[in-house]
Amino acid sequence: MVKIDLITGFLGAGKTTFIRNYAEYLMRKGENIGILENDFGAVNVDMMLLQDLEGEHCELEMVSGGCDKDCHRRRFKTKLIAMGMCGYDRVLVEPSGVFDVDEFFDTLYEEPLDRFYEPGNVIALVDAGLEEDLSKEAKYLLASEVADAGCVLFSKCDEVSQEQLKATLSYLNQAMEQVHCKRRFTLDQILCKNWEDLEEADYKRLLNCEYRMEDYEKMHLEQGKMFDSLYYLNFSMDPDQLKTAVENMFRDPSCGKIFRIKGYIKKGENGWLELNATSREFSLKPAPKGQEVLIVIGENLSKE
């Protein structure tokens, strides 16, 4: 049976960057892997960020949105069935940052997926500088993403103080309490390193972390009501103007609660710049390929 790992985490936690490092480690070990980008959005920017991994030992697949939730689940299952017959040693699934982890296990227990796959590891990423003013719904998602994780990683640890690390840990445990989950975390249980600094022992810990089945109180979240993604296609803007606009959007409450902004803009005739922004960071760097699109992800967003 094919091992299948779920790499989950809240918006902006760095899942795609982590998957790059994790996938490269697995390929160095000689594993043939498939990566499935599973996003509700109509344009899958994260898959474009991983294109250079494709080769003899790694293939990329995606499930994109543009449909209702039930349709999206059917597409997810269909894609996994096809990947289950490709001879991979392991499949890595990166879901949307707005994702209920129980859906992952529910899908794997359905026929014929229960004959193709066995759950491997659930790895959850949390931004070490996580904002502490999340809505009740966002805190629920945070808790649901870490509740069953075999290993929790704090990302961007070098950007925050020890006091902030402790505050994030406390907030994470508050989220667990909100959903009436008995699980609690301590700092020594968290893997807190930059992805580039992960060593052989760290990767072995991740490869053997497996998952847990914790009980917690479910909350019904209707996709597109609280959490949403806005798409601006054929998007073009001067880089300096874009930086100013993005920073203003995060500060302006009339835009809604923005968690992440990502996309690409053209640089000259054939070049591309990749945008990745949260309320704490702005990155605009060269990319080999792209698509003229800006994606804004958050709660109660105003497209205007």
Side-chain angles (χ1 to χ4, degrees):
M1 296 180 78
V2 181
K3 288 275 190 182
I4 182 166
D5 292 352
L6 179 68
I7 315 299
T8 189
F10 203 64
L11 292 160
K15 295 188 296 296
T16 306
T17 308
F18 169 78
I19 282 181
R20 174 184 298 281
N21 288 270
Y22 188 49
E24 288 175 343
Y25 172 78
L26 293 172
M27 286 188 284
R28 288 197 299 271
K29 286 176 58 64
E31 290 196 16
N32 294 313
I33 62 173
I35 300 175
L36 177 56
E37 290 286 333
N38 179 36
D39 201 336
F40 281 107
V43 180
N44 201 316
V45 169
D46 292 336
M47 183 171 174
M48 287 192 277
L49 301 178
L50 298 172
Q51 286 180 94
D52 61 308
L53 288 177
E54 280 197 291
E56 182 181 355
H57 299 291
C58 178
E59 294 183 359
L60 300 179
E61 298 287 349
M62 71 173 180
V63 179
S64 289
C67 57
D68 61 59
K69 197 170 185 178
D70 288 338
C71 176
H72 189 85
R73 286 174 176 168
R74 290 194 297 272
R75 290 181 181 181
F76 180 47
K77 181 178 178 180
T78 301
K79 183 63 71 173
L80 283 178
I81 291 172
M83 294 180 74
M85 296 183 283
C86 290
Y88 300 123
D89 298 306
R90 189 181 301 265
V91 168
L92 311 182
V93 175
E94 179 187 1
S96 159
V98 179
F99 181 78
D100 191 332
V101 175
D102 280 350
E103 294 178 15
F104 171 72
F105 289 106
D106 290 345
T107 302
L108 292 185
Y109 294 147
E110 295 179 12
E111 293 185 346
L113 294 178
D114 58 349
R115 302 197 303 269
F116 293 162
Y117 295 100
E118 59 176 322
N121 306 302
V122 176
I123 301 171
L125 279 60
V126 177
D127 187 337
L130 183 71
E131 294 183 37
E132 297 184 19
D133 62 345
L134 299 180
S135 67
K136 184 177 180 180
E137 292 80 7
K139 285 180 74 174
Y140 164 75
L141 282 171
L142 173 67
S144 71
E145 288 168 345
V146 302
D148 295 332
C151 187
V152 176
L153 289 79
F154 276 1
S155 62
K156 310 169 190 175
C157 295
D158 59 335
E159 300 175 12
V160 301
S161 65
Q162 191 68 19
E163 288 72 23
Q164 177 66 64
L165 281 177
K166 293 178 180 178
T168 298
L169 180 71
S170 176
Y171 195 73
L172 185 60
N173 285 328
Q174 289 176 33
M176 302 299 285
E177 183 177 1
Q178 174 186 291
V179 300
H180 303 115
C181 181
K182 295 181 179 179
R183 188 176 187 185
R184 297 293 185 272
F185 298 95
T186 58
L187 274 180
D188 62 333
Q189 296 173 329
I190 305 291
L191 182 54
C192 189
K193 278 188 174 182
N194 294 326
W195 309 148
E196 294 76 14
D197 297 331
L198 292 176
E199 301 173 347
E200 180 70 21
D202 300 318
Y203 282 115
K204 285 184 177 179
R205 175 179 173 182
L206 292 169
L207 278 175
N208 295 288
C209 72
E210 299 185 338
Y211 58 93
R212 294 171 58 157
M213 299 301 291
E214 294 284 344
D215 293 327
Y216 57 90
E217 185 177 301
K218 299 286 289 182
M219 178 186 293
H220 175 69
L221 299 175
E222 188 173 350
Q223 181 72 20
K225 295 297 184 181
M226 281 300 300
F227 300 95
D228 202 3
S229 299
L230 300 180
Y231 292 81
Y232 302 84
L233 299 174
N234 301 315
F235 179 82
S236 179
M237 184 178 282
D238 174 80
D240 291 335
Q241 290 179 324
L242 178 61
K243 185 175 189 299
T244 300
V246 166
E247 291 172 347
N248 288 339
M249 288 162 63
F250 276 108
R251 288 194 293 260
D252 186 352
S254 70
C255 293
K257 176 65 175 177
I258 299 174
F259 294 122
R260 187 182 179 195
I261 301 175
K262 58 185 179 180
Y264 292 91
I265 60 171
K266 271 195 169 182
K267 181 184 180 183
E269 285 296 317
N270 301 309
W272 292 96
L273 293 174
E274 169 203 328
L275 168 67
N276 208 328
T278 65
S279 61
R280 289 173 39 238
E281 61 182 334
F282 178 93
S283 171
L284 192 62
K285 60 183 181 182
K289 296 180 181 179
Q291 179 178 350
E292 289 183 301
V293 60
L294 186 76
I295 304 174
V296 182
I297 307 168
E299 294 177 289
N300 301 310
L301 300 177
S302 168
K303 188 161 188 175
E304 290 72 21

